[in-house]
Amino acid sequence: MKRSAFLWLAAALLIAAGTTWLVSRPFLRIETLRDLAEAVPPEPALLNASELEQRLLAVGLHPTGLLSDLGVDDHLARLEADKVDAATLSAYADAIGELSAVSADRGQALPPTLWDVSTPALREAGWTVYTLTEAMASDAGAIHVALLSDAYAAFLERKPNALEGALALLPISRNYVETLPESARAERERHAKTEGQATLLIWQALLSGTSRYNPLTHRPLWSHGYIGHFSVPHIHQYATGEGLTASQVWGVDGFNPAFVGPPTNSNQVEHLGISALLQGVAHVPGAVLAATEAFEVFVDHDDPAAARADRALNDVVRTVLLPRMEEDPNALVSALTKALQ
């Protein structure tokens, strides 16, 4: 898969045929987190603006925002404009410090600036960086922080082998699904009726957090909402301070050249996750995906060698992943490794 065109034709074909697609929302609700965030207001703070600035810098926020993070200056501007109070900012600093400590204790610290991003999807869901961060730093949020820490650690341990790193996230995703009831998981999708299907949702969110849109209506076919921000590539971006795409973070090391094709076909990890989600949860026929690849070659003049590699990857998802998706995830990893390396 090269770009968002990978699924646009598939979407149009399925919609025309009346096939049920993944719903677009809602995903992360985690009501226990929201209830806790609303029930426990921040303690009053006695810090002045200068002290708050030093406190926010001390917990690792960037002075002005390095990527899409807000930065300390934005929070101080909000304080001056009475859009946030000192108590909230003090509690925010405490929560970020707690998240850094908890994730470090887990084995892999998460970058503080990861939490300092206010996306439209976050605001649409009724959260702010302050309320979400405090909720994630609570006892109820610990399992979600553990998921991100474990996933990022698995990626770093196997880097630069993209195939090994991507597949290492499958057992982590299954453990998360098995540990939590459906209502408490980060991803909630009514079409994911089994643990295997729910695992694919979590796995694809961790791999790239990619959302897909109907090219005709521009509405989401599926969207991870603000959860899409907390993918491994995004974590790595904020850990390194570099603006990187998912394909630049993952690479294609470890994949047999038959599943990569030309060097321009560089986002095979993202393709793997999306193909698994489409075929395993949305039940998109392989013929539709093949038609999409043919469309890209015929209309977009894409490289036929890249299309062949993408079709080969789709076939492995269909023949190797789907029959085993409800089984032991470690056995699935072994089968996929054998098929793809």
Side-chain angles (χ1 to χ4, degrees):
M1 189 196 70
K2 284 73 66 183
R3 61 201 130 271
S4 58
F6 168 64
L7 303 180
W8 286 7
L9 177 62
L13 289 173
L14 286 175
I15 292 169
T19 302
T20 300
W21 199 269
L22 294 176
V23 296
S24 61
R25 61 171 57 85
F27 282 94
L28 181 66
R29 287 190 180 275
I30 312 182
E31 301 301 343
T32 54
L33 287 186
R34 186 179 298 281
D35 292 345
L36 188 145
E38 293 175 349
V40 184
E43 291 292 329
L46 301 177
L47 301 180
N48 58 36
S50 178
E51 292 168 330
L52 285 170
E53 178 180 16
Q54 294 306 310
R55 177 73 178 121
L56 291 170
L57 290 171
V59 296
L61 295 192
H62 192 269
T64 59
L66 186 60
L67 298 174
S68 56
D69 46 314
L70 296 174
V72 175
D73 60 342
D74 187 284
H75 295 291
L76 295 179
R78 294 183 184 198
L79 178 67
E80 185 175 357
D82 292 327
K83 294 180 179 179
V84 65
D85 58 33
T88 298
L89 285 182
S90 181
Y92 184 53
D94 290 343
I96 291 176
E98 179 67 14
L99 288 168
S100 295
V102 168
S103 58
D105 288 344
R106 182 74 183 186
Q108 180 56 56
L110 297 170
T113 49
L114 178 72
W115 313 105
D116 197 35
V117 179
S118 180
T119 65
L122 183 76
R123 297 189 295 272
E124 182 181 350
W127 293 93
T128 67
V129 292
Y130 310 118
T131 57
L132 180 65
T133 301
E134 284 193 70
M136 291 292 284
S138 70
D139 290 342
I143 191 167
H144 309 294
V145 177
L147 173 69
L148 300 181
S149 179
D150 290 351
Y152 189 44
F155 161 77
L156 291 176
E157 181 180 347
R158 292 160 179 83
K159 193 176 185 299
N161 193 307
L163 177 61
E164 288 186 5
L167 295 183
L169 303 192
L170 265 171
I172 293 172
S173 300
R174 174 59 70 87
N175 180 68
Y176 176 85
V177 167
E178 291 176 344
T179 301
L180 287 174
E182 190 272 346
S183 61
R185 296 174 195 154
E187 292 282 11
R188 301 175 62 187
E189 165 56 59
R190 65 185 179 88
H191 292 287
K193 301 183 183 303
T194 68
E195 287 190 344
Q197 291 176 335
T199 297
L200 294 184
L201 283 171
I202 299 298
W203 185 48
Q204 195 272 328
L206 291 172
L207 290 179
S208 64
T210 307
S211 298
R212 281 295 180 261
Y213 294 84
N214 184 327
L216 303 178
T217 65
H218 303 291
R219 294 178 62 83
L221 293 169
W222 89 76
S223 171
H224 295 290
Y226 63 94
I227 286 303
H229 170 67
F230 298 100
S231 66
V232 164
H234 276 175
I235 295 172
H236 193 60
Q237 285 184 62
Y238 285 94
T240 61
E242 299 180 60
L244 303 169
T245 65
S247 61
Q248 289 172 324
V249 170
W250 282 108
V252 295
D253 285 2
F255 284 90
N256 187 290
F259 302 105
V260 178
T264 53
N265 207 31
S266 60
N267 57 342
Q268 298 310 85
V269 167
E270 184 181 11
H271 185 122
L272 177 62
I274 291 174
S275 184
L277 188 56
L278 286 176
Q279 297 190 71
V281 181
H283 306 296
V284 177
V288 172
L289 300 185
T292 300
E293 300 296 344
F295 176 85
E296 291 179 343
V297 172
F298 183 73
V299 177
D300 294 341
H301 306 292
D302 285 349
D303 190 332
R308 285 194 297 271
D310 290 347
R311 285 196 299 270
L313 190 52
N314 292 338
D315 288 344
V316 169
V317 169
R318 176 176 56 82
T319 60
V320 179
L321 187 151
L322 298 190
R324 298 171 174 83
M325 60 186 287
E326 302 299 337
E327 300 173 7
D328 173 24
N330 293 300
L332 174 57
V333 168
S334 296
L336 287 171
T337 299
K338 182 178 180 180
L340 291 171
Q341 70 180 3

